[in-house]
Amino acid sequence: MKANIIAGLDIGSSSVKMMVARKTEDARLEVLGFAQESSSGMRKGAVVKQDEVARRIAAVKARAENVSSQKIDEVAVNLGGSHVFVTSSRGVVAVSRADGEISQEDVDRVLDAAQAFSLPSNKEILEVFPKEFLVDGEGSVKEPVGMRGIRLETEVLALCAFSPYLKNLTDAVLSSGLGVADVVPVPLATAEAVLTNQQKELGVAVLNIGAGTTSLAVFQEGDLLHLAVFPVGSDHITNDIAIGLRTEPEVAERIKVEFGTLGVLKGKRTEKIELEDGTTLSFSLKMLSHIIEARMKEILGLVAKDLKTISKQADLPAGIILAGGGAKLPKIAEFVKKEMRLPAKIGQAQGILGPQEDPELLEVMGLVLKAARNTESVPRRRMGAVGGGLFSRLKQIFQVFVP
Ligand SMILES: Nc1ncnc2c1ncn2[C@@H]1O[C@H](COP(=O)(O)OP(=O)(O)OP(=O)(O)O)[C@@H](O)[C@H]1O
Ligand SMILES: [Mg+2]
């Protein structure tokens, strides 16, 4: 794999997507190829049958290598499923230097201290995001190094997951013959692709509506504030259509993609589609959009309830940025705006030259962007994911396997 080649792997409930990009001389990212395979062995965003998933990854890798004319050895991959969750925690240490000047070592120690809480068995911390530091009780400190004090505290957001699902994911990638460069919990890759720093400062949510899951990440003052994955997605709409119109899921999927819309249509217009056996199925467009709206309302209800727990249901000035295949329903932004009473729009990828218009590809584009950032030689010194988190630990583990 050439040094300037980057790859992202989005393992979703309905499809496995791989994107290959090249870092140009002026440090931009140019997409060289994309491949997609239908998923198998996944349940609501989590890898449940490793071997089946590994086969799909191997297939998508072969096709992505082919279309991009590049050899791919390692990928940044996402971790999905509603087993991914966040929890807040605090840590306190005494500043070590006699003159009270806070060093990077103090910061590392206080972040370690904040991770020393007990999790239920089989759960582990993936990454910690410091929300703020407190120096001698004074809060809202973002960069404590160089300040003076006796006591350093921090409040962090710890991103956690069910260990067996994490292991299933990494094992599936490894046994497909790829190394793991990074594991990014959903929908942080999407956030990487679509959010601007200004939106993150103001307060913004990214909502990725996938096939089996809908994932939410909320940012404020530049930092991750909250993350949740709900086990409901656009495939549930398909199932509802299948039941409502008394047809097969495959037919319902075609109807959803071809005729589905939000915003109930007036009148009694009917449509029909031809089935494989030569017969036709007629249905009312009004009924179809009622079915879709009912399920979308339920999904947004879960999101609203969750935002309420962090008191953000009415306080996100930069609104909700939509992504995922489920966001391809016509009029979705208007619908979300009305239901959530917040600004809403479909996300667009930034910092990468490629198919920015397709919301279904934003997660994989974000993975490419994450992978590119990880290879940057200049280390980032700002708030955000802390070193020593999942990425570096995985690196240590996978060095054994990566060719
Ligand atoms: N034009 C469209 N209109 C409505 N829905 C669509 C459209 N195109 C795709 N979808 C739906 O989007 C979903 C696939 O989206 P996506 O690829 O983001 O999911 P995934 O990543 O495989 O799943 P997950 O993230 O839940 O694990 C499917 O349910 C599909 O029916
Ligand atoms: Mg997805």
Side-chain angles (χ1 to χ4, degrees), residues 10 12 17 78 208 210 363:
D10 171 4
K17 310 173 186 79
N78 56 357
N208 184 315
E363 177 83 2

Side-chain angles (χ1 to χ4, degrees), residues 161-239:
F162 183 57
S163 310
Y165 284 153
L166 172 64
K167 190 169 183 308
N168 280 357
L169 173 89
T170 50
D171 284 354
V173 178
L174 292 170
S175 58
S176 77
L178 285 164
V180 178
D182 198 359
V183 177
V184 185
V186 293
L188 296 184
T190 303
E192 181 87 16
V194 302
L195 299 184
T196 63
N197 287 339
Q198 196 195 8
Q199 287 171 324
K200 287 195 212 171
E201 270 315 312
L202 281 170
V204 70
V206 36
L207 191 67
N208 184 315
I209 308 169
T213 63
T214 295
S215 46
L216 170 77
V218 183
F219 293 81
Q220 187 186 264
E221 287 172 15
D223 299 318
L224 181 68
L225 181 75
H226 182 64
L227 184 146
V229 184
F230 311 101
V232 196
S234 188
D235 276 359
H236 292 77
I237 296 178
T238 305
N239 293 341

Side-chain angles (χ1 to χ4, degrees), residues 10-17 36 39 42-46 78 80-81 186 208-215 230 232-238 253 256-258 260 323-330 358-361 363:
D10 171 4
I11 307 181
S13 309
S14 74
S15 71
V16 178
K17 310 173 186 79
Q36 186 167 7
S39 283
M42 299 289 294
R43 195 166 59 224
K44 293 183 194 296
N78 56 357
V186 293
N208 184 315
I209 308 169
T213 63
T214 295
S215 46
F230 311 101
V232 196
S234 188
D235 276 359
H236 292 77
I237 296 178
T238 305
E253 176 73 17
K256 178 180 81 173
V257 170
E258 227 173 292
K328 292 211 257 191
L329 278 171
D358 188 348
E360 201 169 341
L361 302 187
E363 177 83 2

Side-chain angles (χ1 to χ4, degrees), residues 288-302:
L288 176 65
S289 58
H290 269 304
I291 295 172
I292 296 174
E293 285 207 356
R295 185 58 88 163
M296 273 312 300
K297 269 193 186 156
E298 189 211 309
I299 295 175
L300 295 176
L302 292 173

